[in-house]
C-alpha cells in the first residue's frame, strides 16, 4: 500500500517550496517582484516534476515490497539556494530512502531510473500542451499563461532528468549505470537532447518546429 508518514509529507512540502524558489531566483535574479511573479509558474513545473520524480522512486520501491520514504537534506537545500543566485540550481534537496536488507543492482537501477523517466514524460507532456495552445496564446491571456507554464515545465523537467542521470555521487545515474550501461546511455541521451534543445533552441522555437512554422 502507498503510505506516507507525517514527517515525509512535511519534508516533501519544504523541499517543493525551496526548490521552486531556487528555480525562480535562477530565472529572474534578485528582483523580488520578478521572483514573486515567477514562483507560481515555476511551482507547477517543479511541483509536478519534483514530487512525481520522488513518488516514482517510492512507487517502484514499494512495488518490490520495500518500505521507502523521502527525507530532506537541509545542506542540499542550502546549496541549491546558493547556486540559484549564480543562475543555475544544483538540485539535491533530499532523496527517497529505500529500506532493504539486500537489493540487487537491477532492482536498485529500476528504482533509480523511475524518477528521471517521470521527468522525461512530464517534459514531453508539457511540450505537447504548449504546442496545442501556441496559436491561441497570441490572442488569449489564459492561453499565454498556459504556454508560459508549460514552457517552464518542459525546461525544468528535462533539466531534472538530465541532472539526476549524471553518474556521479549518489545521483540516480550512478545506480542506473551500475545496473545497465545500455539503458543508461539511451535515457541519458534523451534527457540531454531535451535539455540541450531547451537551452539552445528555446521552447517556443521547438514548438514552432513541431507545428511546421
Amino acid at each position: 500500500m502507498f503510505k506516507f508518514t507525517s514527517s515525509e509529507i512535511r519534508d516533501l512540502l519544504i523541499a517543493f517550496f525551496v526548490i521552486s524558489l531556487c528555480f525562480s531566483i535562477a530565472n529572474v535574479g534578485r528582483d523580488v517582484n520578478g521572483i514573486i511573479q515567477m514562483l507560481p509558474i515555476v511551482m507547477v513545473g517543479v511541483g509536478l516534476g519534483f514530487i512525481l520524480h520522488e513518488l516514482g522512486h517510492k512507487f517502484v520501491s514499494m512495488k518490490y515490497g520495500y518500505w521507502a520514504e523521502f527525507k530532506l537534506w537541509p545542506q542540499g537545500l542550502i546549496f541549491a539556494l546558493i547556486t540559484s543566485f549564480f543562475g543555475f540550481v544544483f538540485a539535491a534537496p533530499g532523496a527517497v530512502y529505500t529500506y532493504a536488507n539486500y537489493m540487487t543492482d537491477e532492482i536498485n537501477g529500476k528504482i533509480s531510473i523511475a524518477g528521471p523517466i517521470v521527468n522525461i514524460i512530464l517534459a514531453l507532456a508539457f511540450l505537447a500542451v504548449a504546442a496545442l495552445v501556441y496559436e491561441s496564446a497570441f490572442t488569449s491571456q489564459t492561453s499565454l499563461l498556459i504556454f508560459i507554464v508549460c514552457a517552464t515545465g518542459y525546461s525544468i523537467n528535462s533539466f531534472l532528468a538530465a541532472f539526476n542521470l549524471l553518474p556521479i555521487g549518489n545521483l540516480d545515474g550512478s545506480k542506473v549505470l551500475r545496473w545497465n550501461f545500455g539503458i543508461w546511455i539511451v535515457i541519458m541521451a534523451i534527457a540531454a537532447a531535451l535539455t540541450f534543445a531547451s537551452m539552445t533552441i528555446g521552447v517556443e522555437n521547438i514548438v514552432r518546429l513541431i507545428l511546421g512554422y
Side-chain angles (χ1 to χ4, degrees), residues 107-124:
I107 292 175
N108 198 16
K110 289 178 178 178
I111 291 171
S112 299
I113 205 171
I117 286 178
V118 166
N119 290 130
I120 290 172
I121 292 171
L122 283 172
L124 294 174

Side-chain angles (χ1 to χ4, degrees), residues 128-196:
V129 175
L132 287 174
V133 303
Y134 181 69
E135 290 186 356
S136 61
F138 291 99
T139 56
S140 167
Q141 286 296 316
T142 300
S143 294
L144 177 60
L145 179 60
I146 293 172
F147 179 82
I148 293 171
V149 169
C150 289
T152 305
Y154 167 82
S155 298
I156 289 175
N157 277 280
S158 58
F159 170 78
L160 288 175
F163 174 80
N164 279 284
L165 282 168
L166 292 174
I168 56 176
N170 203 37
L171 292 177
D172 298 329
S174 298
K175 302 160 194 174
V176 177
L177 185 60
R178 189 160 56 243
W179 161 48
N180 191 306
F181 174 78
I183 291 176
W184 174 81
I185 199 71
V186 169
I187 302 301
M188 183 61 179
I190 294 170
L194 294 176
T195 305
F196 182 77

Side-chain angles (χ1 to χ4, degrees), residues 8-104:
E8 182 178 21
I9 293 172
R10 178 204 63 206
D11 285 1
L12 282 167
L13 290 174
I14 292 172
F16 159 63
F17 178 78
V18 176
I19 289 299
S20 297
L21 179 62
C22 290
F23 276 99
S24 298
I25 294 171
N27 274 277
V28 303
R30 302 181 187 184
D31 179 5
V32 176
N33 290 329
I35 292 171
I36 293 172
Q37 292 175 0
M38 190 70 182
L39 188 58
I41 295 172
V42 172
M43 277 182 166
V44 176
V46 172
L48 287 174
F50 170 72
I51 297 296
L52 293 182
H53 175 106
E54 298 302 336
L55 292 185
H57 293 315
K58 184 180 177 76
F59 177 79
V60 176
S61 294
M62 298 185 81
K63 179 178 178 292
Y64 281 105
Y66 302 120
W67 172 252
E69 183 176 354
F70 177 81
K71 290 185 180 294
L72 196 68
W73 185 34
Q75 296 92 330
L77 281 181
I78 293 170
F79 190 62
L81 192 58
I82 292 171
T83 59
S84 68
F85 286 99
F86 295 93
F88 69 98
V89 180
F90 189 92
V96 168
Y97 289 84
T98 300
Y99 297 91
N101 292 326
Y102 174 75
M103 185 185 299
T104 64

